[in-house]
Amino acid sequence: MVRLGLQLTLRSGREAMVRLVITAAAVAVGVALLLGVLAEYHAFQANASQACWSCTTGQPVPSPLPSHGELWNDSVDFYQGQTITRLDVAPLGAGAPVPPGITRLPAPGEYYASPALAALLAAVPADELGDRFPGHLAGTIGDAALNGANDLVIYIGYTPAELTALPGSPAASKGGPVPGTQWVTSISTAPASEVFTPFFRYAFGIGVLAVLFPMLVLISTATRLAADRREERFAALRLVGGTPGDIRVIASVESVVSAFCGAVLGIAVFLLVRPALADAALVGTRYFESDLTPTSWGYLGILVGVPVVAAIAALLSLRRVQISPLGVSRRAKRKPPTFWRLSVLVAGVGLYVYGLSKTTHASIGAPAYPGLLLTMIGLVIAGPWLTSAASRLFGRLTPGSSALLATRRLADNPKTAFRAVTGLVLAVFLGTIVGTLVPAVNSTEASPANASLSNVLLAPVGLDPHAGAQLISGLSAIPGATVYPLYSLAGGNGSVGPGLGPGDTAVSCAVMRELAVLGQCAPGLRAVQASDSGLFDDNPMYNTKPFVDSANTAYTGNLSSLPLQTVMVRVNSPATLERVRTYLTVNTAPQPAGGQGSAPTPPRTFGETLQIRLDRAATLEKIVYAAVALTLIVAGCSLAVAVGGGLVDRKRPFTLLRVSGTQVGVLSRVVMLEAAVPLLAATMVAAGIAYGTSILAFVRLAPAGTAIPQLGSDYYALMGIGLAVAFGVIVVTLPLLRRMTSPGNVRFE
């Protein structure tokens, strides 16, 4: 039977070969897209579990310096919104540990840079970037030290004496180490602690589900292409003595061969597009192509799982043929879907609401995810009932022969009708959730105050009065830069004034008038005492809150005699911003990467701080929208296969209708309506449920009084394109209808 199945599949005429090619091509599309998602997830996981050398924690620098290990100062900087990881290192003796990616430590006056940073240094004016790094380029850093191809990393070599006296360091005049410098004897090999990794993992999980469900539908639809014609052939085999087991073997062989060919072709397509996928930077990191690959088990699972799914789909399609050899021609009417199909959908929404009541800002909505998943499953289960109900309503409201034929067809088999649009329904559901929540989250963080400070750089410096005055003078000399200093009220011995803490600040009221959104002094005051610690919060909802008002105590001393604690610099262009940042880097101590010194962040603008927050939500949006786009592609292929297969199955009745006088336009409208009714009905329900669940999540997590979000233009564009593609696919199949139903086809074999 296996040999007969292979012969019927490969050598039984043009129709069988066309069916094999179409099925394999459809499966290949789904497999390639699923492999792409799995490859992105594998690269993300490999990145998250990579050894974090910059997480190395050393010991305080001993005095006198030991003769082994190295001095290590890990700091961070910014360039045009990109983070630069900087390591200043000085060996203390032979055998000092070497960071990954290089074979030896850089000598004093040398540095190693990542390929992306080396390219920037060669292309950007030195006063905007290169002057920050003393010495010359000795080589590039290998992949072992990098998270991706666009990472900006630099190792700079020093002598121990140089590293204890960097410009701008309070220790420079005392012979002590720069703040943040540690004594390191071994480099960390553990992965970085998870912060937003679970957030992205949830997003990838949703993305995998968004592609997996429609891909399974596509495989099922493709392997059942022209199912009615195949059932007639199998029934004929029964009439000549074939047993039910023989029919199952033949059907399985045909489906497995086409699905296996599609799986192999899909893997080949994925390997061809993998370089382009590596450049996509889906979560902001350009993963290395070597990491952007499914595991061996992933490939094996595709090669085995896809044919198995295809065989199961083929066997399920033969349930009616197994009744008797004449079962095809005496087919009983299918039972209509019942109201119980809505129960899973209702349960999913209920579980979602319950999980939402248990969620907090810290859990990122995790308790609600099971309900969201069950709701997606419920939409798939409830789809046939929605299709049946929509067809009955459509039949009552719409006159005409096309509507009558389409309604009868949908009422006869709503499951098959809905199966073709399942992927589109899930895409609309996920797209609506993301299209509602992401702009809403962004709107709560992007305040008017932040907009007015978007080009203001915030830099903690911690300099004595003399060095602070020199820094202000140097910054003011940069064209396009306006400096706003904030002074420390802490004394040289750590003492503070009455009622003040170490973080308290003195600021000129003239400065506050320039930075009006951060507060105003009481009338008549020249300077006030304040606490500016909120400026360094990484949440834009808090770092632009006013810290000066009429209740602040006046400061009557000489501001220039105080240590310079912080500077804010308004810049008029991106080039000016980088010149200011370069000047700060050269003339102040590095800002510790781990928040070990006086600053939790490197010098960056309020706009960059906001963008970092927005990028996290944008990453989720990109992941899910990418999944939605892939789902639309899979769903479009599934719809094309379903519509084409339906035309092949109804070649005889449609041809007879044409011969009896029915116009082609009537039949074309039947085909359009059969696809449009379930598509519009189910997508409207999916969009409504998704919007409602999104509003519930927003109300639960957003600050009180926040306006209810509206769907953005990106959402309407993506959904509109998806629906247009769906109807375009249907239109493309209509010329096939004209050819298949020509009067010359009135005779059948």
Side-chain angles (χ1 to χ4, degrees), residues 582-616:
T582 299
Y583 189 89
L584 286 168
T585 302
V586 171
N587 292 278
T588 62
Q591 303 304 327
Q596 300 166 16
S598 60
T601 61
R604 66 190 186 199
T605 66
F606 287 88
E608 288 172 331
T609 300
L610 172 63
Q611 192 59 48
I612 290 171
R613 298 284 293 199
L614 298 185
D615 283 347
R616 294 166 184 166

Side-chain angles (χ1 to χ4, degrees), residues 7 23 172 248 318 356 443 599 635 674:
Q7 185 172 2
T23 301
R248 285 194 291 267
L318 294 176
L356 204 58
S443 67
E674 286 178 1

Side-chain angles (χ1 to χ4, degrees), residues 146-166:
L146 310 176
N147 292 320
N150 58 347
D151 264 18
L152 304 182
V153 179
I154 189 166
Y155 301 151
I156 306 176
Y158 292 90
T159 65
E162 289 172 336
L163 197 52
T164 60
L166 288 179

Side-chain angles (χ1 to χ4, degrees), residues 373-570:
L373 175 60
L374 189 60
T375 301
M376 292 171 62
I377 297 173
L379 279 172
V380 175
I381 295 176
W385 184 87
L386 295 173
T387 300
S388 178
S391 67
R392 291 195 299 270
L393 179 62
F394 178 76
R396 295 191 186 100
L397 299 178
T398 308
S401 56
S402 297
L404 177 62
L405 290 172
T407 301
R408 293 295 178 86
R409 171 79 173 179
L410 291 173
D412 179 63
N413 195 355
K415 292 182 181 178
T416 300
F418 177 76
R419 186 184 301 121
V421 299
T422 302
L424 290 167
V425 171
L426 294 177
V428 169
F429 180 79
L430 289 173
T432 302
I433 289 179
V434 176
T436 303
L437 285 181
V438 171
V441 170
N442 290 350
S443 67
T444 62
E445 296 186 334
S447 65
N450 202 291
S452 67
L453 297 173
S454 62
N455 64 335
V456 175
L457 182 79
L458 177 68
V461 291
L463 297 176
D464 61 58
H466 177 69
Q470 289 183 324
L471 183 71
I472 294 173
S473 176
L475 290 172
S476 300
I478 298 175
T482 305
V483 185
Y484 308 117
L486 283 74
Y487 297 92
S488 174
L489 288 168
N493 58 0
S495 62
V496 296
L500 298 174
D504 286 293
T505 302
V507 58
S508 165
C509 291
V511 165
M512 298 311 301
R513 284 192 292 271
E514 293 288 330
L515 304 171
V517 295
L518 294 178
Q520 292 293 302
C521 305
L525 297 185
R526 183 184 63 84
V528 294
Q529 301 173 6
S531 177
D532 66 347
S533 57
L535 289 174
F536 300 101
D537 197 298
D538 69 344
N539 191 331
M541 296 176 63
Y542 304 113
N543 67 5
T544 57
K545 285 189 173 181
F547 64 93
V548 171
D549 56 32
S550 58
N552 283 82
T553 305
Y555 179 78
T556 57
N558 181 10
L559 290 175
S560 61
S561 66
L562 296 174
L564 181 62
Q565 176 173 292
T566 302
V567 292
M568 288 188 281
V569 186
R570 189 182 297 276

